[in-house]
Amino acid sequence: MRNMPWKDFFALVVSIGVVGLGLGATMPLTALTLDQRGVGTDVIGMITAVSALGILAASPFVARWVKRFGPRATMLGAVWAGGLATALMQTSDNLFVWALLRFVFGAAMGVLFTIGEAWVNRLAPDNSRGRVVAMYTTSFTLFQLVGPALVAMFNGRVAWSFAACGALFLFALPGLALMSDGGPAHEDEADGVRWQLILPRMPMIVLGAAFFALFDTLALSLLPLYAMRHGISAELALLSATVVLVGDTALQFAFGWLADRYGRARVHAACGVMVCLLLPLLPFAVHTPWLWWTLLLLLGAFAGAIYMLALVACGERFSGLSLTSASAIVNATWGVSSGAGPLLTGVLMQTAGINALPAVMWAAAAVFVASALWERRKGMLT
């Protein structure tokens, strides 16, 4: 790691971290404001899901924008778009206007995450890629955790709350301006934006991203309900989602170190197997407090490592614009899984029973493990 361009790395981490802070504040603020206006949870869910559509809409164009404008300019534009879309929510109560602004917001976030993930992979040396990407994902999650706390702290005390959230994004601009503009765009690859050539080379990456997007969204949205239906108080049920995020945050560097030392593919598959072993214990652990909290910490850690190592795998397999295209596919996968997964799971929990939640998570993790076995059989694992 001695040859790392640390100035660029820290500027990128801080900039994306600030974006995570704004994201972590904007999402609960949107839901809370709509709820206070008497809007139903179904409409709140749809307004929230529009962001995923924005991610999907922007994903096919990111590599082209990067090639034309450069990664830094593209990210600066996305920061301005995300900040303004958030601030403008202050000016209207119209739900259609809010949906449009959330769509723009999601597109901006998709651009930022696609380029940021590709850029950190470009900066990372091959022999320490796991640790470097882990530092990036850990920092983002830490910043994101602060966002809801800011909303709780200033709720009702700040008159222009959405304008304030929009301004948070602008604090990412100085860090991005300090970065050199040699990001993941300067290898002239004519096929770099053709997802048809990229996607067949990344089944395990895509399914790992899909699993974690599903897991993360369900942990934040339906896990508290699952806990309450099993008799846990509302306060502790809400804390359950936080504990999952803490587990995701705390152990990423350790998994990155293991991947650098023992091989990414081996650690990646092992994390999937551990999730499959732990999830069936969830219905039994819910009535034993120490086991419940321990299990949530471990699930958050192993699930988060699956996503972090999927980003590492992108850096192992792709470079230049191909890397940007692969990152765009990962973020498009996130949009699909985080949008459709909770809708399907909610229906299953209503019709088949509350334990459909861990069952859906387990099925997604099992598909990921199956993809790891398939890649090993095909000789694709590195």
Side-chain angles (χ1 to χ4, degrees):
M1 297 175 69
R2 291 180 181 177
N3 296 325
M4 267 279 293
W6 288 107
K7 186 194 78 170
D8 281 359
F9 176 75
F10 283 121
L12 177 64
V13 165
V14 171
S15 300
I16 292 294
V18 170
V19 170
L21 176 63
L23 178 64
T26 301
M27 291 180 68
L29 178 63
T30 301
L32 180 62
T33 303
L34 289 173
D35 183 67
Q36 290 172 346
R37 293 177 185 172
V39 176
T41 55
D42 54 342
V43 176
I44 294 174
M46 285 188 281
I47 293 291
T48 303
V50 168
S51 295
L53 295 178
I55 294 174
L56 285 172
S59 294
F61 305 102
V62 177
R64 298 177 192 175
W65 293 336
V66 168
K67 188 173 184 179
R68 181 173 180 180
F69 302 109
R72 185 175 62 188
T74 306
M75 291 184 78
L76 288 170
V79 168
W80 277 107
L84 287 173
T86 301
L88 287 173
M89 293 174 73
Q90 194 74 58
T91 65
S92 176
D93 293 335
N94 188 296
L95 292 180
F96 291 104
V97 173
W98 273 41
L100 177 60
L101 292 172
R102 292 297 298 176
F103 180 87
V104 174
F105 176 83
M109 294 302 101
V111 170
L112 288 167
F113 298 145
T114 295
I115 301 175
E117 290 164 4
W119 207 332
V120 75
N121 260 312
R122 178 186 175 277
L123 294 173
D126 290 340
N127 63 353
S128 55
R129 189 181 306 278
R131 284 165 287 173
V132 171
V133 174
M135 286 190 284
Y136 172 88
T137 56
T138 298
S139 300
F140 175 81
T141 308
L142 281 173
F143 274 94
Q144 191 178 25
L145 278 170
V146 177
L150 285 179
V151 174
M153 185 183 304
F154 293 107
N155 183 36
R157 301 179 185 177
V158 178
W160 291 68
S161 52
F162 283 100
C165 277
L168 282 177
F169 289 98
L170 303 186
F171 286 102
L173 296 176
L176 290 174
L178 289 173
M179 296 183 65
S180 61
D181 203 23
H186 288 73
E187 294 179 31
D188 188 15
E189 299 177 12
D191 296 329
V193 297
R194 296 180 59 185
W195 65 267
Q196 298 94 329
L197 299 178
I198 303 297
L199 186 58
R201 298 169 57 191
M202 51 188 300
M204 186 177 177
I205 296 171
V206 166
L207 291 171
F211 161 73
F212 184 70
L214 175 73
F215 178 89
D216 185 64
T217 308
L218 292 181
L220 290 173
S221 58
L222 296 180
L223 179 64
L225 176 61
Y226 176 85
M228 285 189 287
R229 293 285 179 86
H230 279 285
I232 294 179
S233 68
E235 293 79 7
L236 291 178
L238 290 170
L239 184 61
S240 298
T242 303
V243 171
V244 171
L245 288 176
V246 169
D248 176 16
T249 305
L251 294 176
Q252 294 312 293
F253 187 82
F255 285 113
W257 179 85
L258 288 171
D260 290 336
R261 184 174 180 86
Y262 298 106
R264 189 272 316 164
R266 184 179 301 173
V267 177
H268 207 178
C271 288
V273 171
M274 288 303 301
V275 170
C276 287
L277 292 175
L278 291 172
L279 276 171
L281 301 177
L282 210 58
F284 305 100
V286 71
H287 301 296
T288 308
W290 70 266
L291 184 57
W292 173 252
W293 302 117
T294 302
L295 188 60
L296 292 183
L297 280 170
L298 292 174
L299 280 171
F302 285 114
I306 289 175
Y307 182 72
M308 182 269 292
L309 293 173
L311 300 184
V312 172
C314 280
E316 290 177 351
R317 296 184 184 183
F318 304 102
S319 62
L321 284 176
S322 293
L323 177 57
T324 306
S325 296
S327 296
I329 290 172
V330 167
N331 280 280
T333 302
W334 183 284
V336 172
S337 188
S338 64
L343 294 176
L344 172 63
T345 307
V347 171
L348 289 174
M349 290 173 70
Q350 188 71 28
T351 56
I354 197 69
N355 285 318
L357 176 71
V360 170
M361 290 179 172
W362 186 91
V367 171
F368 166 72
V369 173
S371 73
L373 295 174
W374 184 85
E375 284 201 3
R376 181 176 294 277
R377 180 175 297 179
K378 294 291 184 179
M380 296 175 63
L381 293 183
T382 54

